[in-house]
Amino acid sequence: MTNEKRVSSKNDKWKRVVLIIVIGIVFLLLAYFLNVITTGESINSLKLSLKSSCDPKLFGAKGDGISDETLAIQQAMDTCKIVSFSKGIYKVSALVINHHNLQLKGNDVASLVAMDNQNLLYGVDKAQIRISGISFFGSNLSTIDGDGQAIYLKNVKDVIITKNRFSNFKGAGVVRIEGGSSTASDPVTWSEQINITSNIFVNNTQRAPFAPGVAANSIYLVGGVRNFFVLNNRIDAANQRSGIAMMSNIRNGKVSQNYLSNIGINDMVQTYGIFLYDLGESICKDVEISSNVIVNVSKMCIYIQTKGNGGNIFIKNNQLANCDIHADDSTLPAGAISINEGRLVFVEGNRIYGVNENSRGIQILSSIDDSSSVIEGNNIAGGSERHAGTVGIKIAYGSGIKIKNNTIDNVMLGIGWTQPIEDSVSSFIISNITIVSNKINNTDKGIGFQIYVSPSSGVGSLNISQNKIMNSNIGINTYLLFNSAIISNRISEARTAEGVGKAIFIQNGQRNKILNNIIGQCDYGIYQEVAPGVNAVAGNIFSECSVEIFP
């Protein structure tokens, strides 16, 4: 073969190779553009997919408050890492977060308006989500649990929801963050690193107004949420069950510096400002509720129900006013702060004003053998007048509780509980309670435990010492008190117009020590309705008492 033929043969081979490559590239391009067309993406979206930020108006959104903007905004969310809205009102339905690392920025000029009862913004199994500066406006059409939320995120990590406004939503959580389990003690998946800060919630409502079994909350953490912060939010919830609700496997979080007002005031059934609750075998622990301001609540400002396996719940430095507007002993536990079955709960430094009729400042109901809880340094004041049925700190039943350094003024009963005789049951056990160094003023009874049950299940092992009680008709009053100490208290002005005021009044108790108390300006110093000698009475100092010890 000649050289010319060899060269020609080689050139033909290269031409065939080049032709095959060109044909392959053409087919790949055709397939790609066919896929772009069939998935509804435009050439613009193809170009923008390479950018980190975009405006939904580049995808056809108008922001006129009339058009359905769902498709355009969804395309922007699917295409870009940062979706930055320009000024406008955008009507949408069921936006879905489909990738990690997404920012939605309303820049304080954009509103998202729900067109139907679906969740306005939904995401599951995603991370690094940022939502800020958007005004969310609901359809108020929710009919079942799990729809109608402004934001519903499940099994998510590293989420910041900040500086948004939410109104006109109806359902179980305007902002709802959910984990993987509501009842198991250890969820398979968690939502974690959650920050909900500086948002405004107003004019939202519950799905079926005033129905006790229906949840409606501005912020709802449920079923496995940990490492969270709920800070600086403003919530007005006249038609909602609660402002901030946390239920089932809530751990390692802080709820602080929020302002909540008018919670459930149009609803006389089971409403709460802030609510923490164990469900099933779930465990809530290591949660701080601090420095919040809560005013005007139909029932409880703060309600805690955790089990023995949970604990380390800190309720401190909150300001609570006019809680329990619709107080009624025939319904749920009531009060500004109510602890139900809690263990290792620390209630410290709270200021409670305006304890309403039949209400309590702090209420404890715990059947746990040793709750190891502390109520310390709280300031509790009744209203401008002393209302019937008011209690500063009520212990309906409990064990292993320390109550110290609290200041209580202008309620009917400072610390304790007077159980109605008709409710006499043997299950109310109060024992191992320390009540020390409290200041109690202007009450009908300063400290009182009158539990009408058998001696084996009455009130025992109380340490009532170093308290200062002033201007109370009865300073300390007990019924069926056993094996307890009333030592080194200062009680003054235990007087009535009828001359029957009593500094210390012991009814049907025995094996108690009443020692070294300083008692002044009273009708009766120590008054016992027991057989002589069953209690140790010694070292007490009296001044200006009509009768020092009777009998």
Side-chain angles (χ1 to χ4, degrees):
M1 182 181 293
T2 64
N3 289 335
E4 290 81 1
K5 289 182 178 181
R6 290 192 185 97
V7 172
S8 175
S9 176
K10 289 181 179 179
N11 288 339
D12 289 342
K13 290 179 180 178
W14 280 111
K15 289 177 181 179
R16 286 195 294 272
V17 170
V18 171
L19 180 61
I20 291 170
I21 292 172
V22 170
I23 293 172
I25 291 172
V26 170
F27 273 109
L28 288 173
L29 289 172
L30 286 173
Y32 180 79
F33 283 105
L34 181 61
N35 179 65
V36 167
I37 293 170
T38 56
T39 56
E41 294 184 355
S42 65
I43 297 299
N44 284 335
S45 70
L46 175 64
K47 293 178 181 178
L48 288 169
S49 65
L50 302 177
K51 296 185 178 181
S52 62
S53 178
C54 60
D55 186 332
K57 289 186 175 180
L58 296 178
F59 294 82
K62 298 177 182 179
D64 57 10
I66 300 172
S67 305
D68 182 350
E69 317 277 31
T70 306
L71 180 60
I73 295 175
Q74 187 66 62
Q75 287 180 337
M77 290 170 56
D78 291 345
T79 301
C80 303
K81 293 181 179 180
I82 301 174
V83 178
S84 183
F85 290 85
S86 54
K87 185 176 181 179
I89 299 173
Y90 302 85
K91 295 186 70 175
V92 296
S93 173
L95 298 171
V96 179
I97 298 173
N98 287 320
H99 63 80
H100 302 299
N101 193 14
L102 173 66
Q103 295 186 44
L104 300 178
K105 301 173 67 174
N107 303 304
D108 299 324
V109 296
S111 297
L112 294 182
V113 178
M115 297 173 58
D116 51 34
N117 66 340
Q118 299 187 69
N119 297 312
L120 197 154
L121 182 61
Y122 178 76
V124 60
D125 296 324
K126 297 297 180 289
Q128 294 181 298
I129 306 300
R130 308 287 185 266
I131 303 168
S132 65
I134 299 173
S135 178
F136 291 85
F137 192 84
S139 66
N140 206 20
L141 295 174
S142 173
T143 57
I144 62 172
D145 184 38
D147 71 9
Q149 276 80 49
I151 300 173
Y152 187 174
L153 303 179
K154 186 171 183 178
N155 302 336
V156 292
K157 295 182 180 181
D158 189 9
V159 173
I160 299 176
I161 300 171
T162 186
K163 297 181 180 179
N164 303 286
R165 180 182 177 90
F166 302 90
S167 60
N168 205 49
F169 287 91
K170 180 193 291 185
V174 177
V175 172
R176 177 169 175 161
I177 309 295
E178 189 170 336
S181 174
S182 295
T183 57
S185 60
D186 192 10
V188 176
T189 56
W190 293 85
S191 283
E192 55 189 329
Q193 299 173 22
I194 308 298
N195 288 266
I196 303 173
T197 63
S198 303
N199 301 284
I200 297 174
F201 298 81
V202 65
N203 295 330
N204 300 293
T205 186
Q206 64 182 35
R207 192 169 61 251
F210 322 131
V214 177
N217 326 290
S218 291
I219 298 173
Y220 190 25
L221 310 181
V222 60
V225 180
R226 65 186 179 187
N227 303 327
F228 63 89
F229 293 90
V230 179
L231 309 174
N232 294 308
N233 299 283
R234 294 182 64 88
I235 299 172
D236 187 295
N239 293 302
Q240 286 189 294
R241 285 278 306 283
S242 63
I244 300 170
M246 299 168 281
M247 180 179 289
S248 302
N249 289 317
I250 305 299
R251 304 183 192 175
N252 301 309
K254 185 175 184 178
V255 179
S256 186
Q257 298 180 4
N258 301 283
Y259 183 89
L260 294 84
S261 62
N262 304 319
I263 309 300
I265 58 173
N266 295 334
D267 178 359
M268 295 182 65
V269 181
Q270 301 179 14
T271 58
Y272 323 93
I274 298 175
F275 173 80
L276 176 64
Y277 188 88
D278 274 340
L279 184 66
E281 299 301 318
S282 68
I283 298 173
C284 295
K285 63 180 182 179
D286 303 320
V287 176
E288 177 182 316
I289 300 171
S290 64
S291 302
N292 301 283
V293 176
I294 308 176
V295 297
N296 298 333
V297 180
S298 177
K299 286 293 185 182
M300 289 154 274
C301 280
I302 298 175
Y303 179 65
I304 307 296
Q305 181 167 320
T306 58
K307 301 183 181 67
N309 291 330
N312 288 328
I313 310 300
F314 294 87
I315 305 170
K316 61 183 185 179
N317 301 326
N318 300 283
Q319 295 189 47
L320 313 176
N322 219 21
C323 304
D324 222 346
I325 293 173
H326 298 133
D328 181 359
D329 279 341
S330 67
T331 57
L332 275 181
I337 300 173
S338 185
I339 311 299
N340 192 6
E341 301 297 344
R343 185 175 183 275
L344 289 170
V345 179
F346 303 91
V347 183
E348 302 171 345
N350 301 282
R351 298 177 67 87
I352 299 171
Y353 304 97
V355 181
N356 293 288
E357 186 172 351
N358 294 320
S359 183
R360 299 86 175 84
I362 299 170
Q363 177 163 275
I364 302 167
L365 302 95
S366 179
S367 60
I368 297 170
D369 288 341
D370 181 5
S371 71
S372 299
S373 295
V374 178
I375 314 298
E376 181 176 7
N378 302 282
N379 191 316
I380 302 169
S384 57
E385 57 184 79
R386 197 187 332 172
H387 293 292
T390 53
V391 183
I393 299 174
K394 174 181 175 179
I395 307 173
Y397 49 95
S399 174
I401 300 168
K402 294 181 180 180
I403 301 172
K404 58 184 181 179
N405 298 318
N406 301 282
T407 300
I408 301 169
D409 183 70
N410 209 32
V411 294
M412 292 300 290
L413 172 60
I415 298 173
W417 185 34
T418 299
Q419 176 198 6
I421 295 176
E422 61 270 19
D423 293 340
S424 178
V425 292
S426 61
S427 62
F428 290 95
I429 302 174
I430 296 176
S431 64
N432 297 314
I433 308 294
T434 298
I435 302 172
V436 60
S437 300
N438 300 281
K439 295 179 180 179
I440 302 171
N441 181 51
N442 196 26
T443 62
D444 182 60
K445 295 179 182 178
I447 297 172
F449 290 92
Q450 291 180 289
I451 313 298
Y452 301 99
V453 295
S454 65
S456 63
S457 55
V459 181
S461 301
L462 268 62
N463 175 12
I464 302 173
S465 62
Q466 300 179 20
N467 300 283
K468 186 176 183 180
I469 303 172
M470 299 172 290
N471 300 309
S472 296
N473 295 338
I474 301 176
I476 298 173
N477 181 201
T478 64
Y479 183 90
L480 288 175
L481 178 68
F482 299 89
N483 303 314
S484 297
I486 301 174
I487 298 176
S488 300
N489 300 281
R490 298 179 67 93
I491 304 171
S492 61
E493 296 294 339
R495 287 174 170 165
T496 68
E498 299 78 15
V500 293
K502 302 173 180 68
I504 298 175
F505 184 20
I506 307 297
Q507 298 173 275
N508 299 325
Q510 54 186 304
R511 300 186 301 278
N512 301 296
K513 297 177 181 180
I514 306 170
L515 309 174
N516 304 323
N517 299 282
I518 299 175
I519 300 171
Q521 300 88 45
C522 63
D523 295 324
Y524 290 89
I526 298 174
Y527 192 110
Q528 298 188 83
E529 292 182 350
V530 297
V534 299
N535 295 309
V537 180
N540 300 285
I541 300 174
F542 303 92
S543 64
E544 299 182 47
C545 290
S546 300
V547 178
E548 293 182 353
I549 299 177
F550 179 87

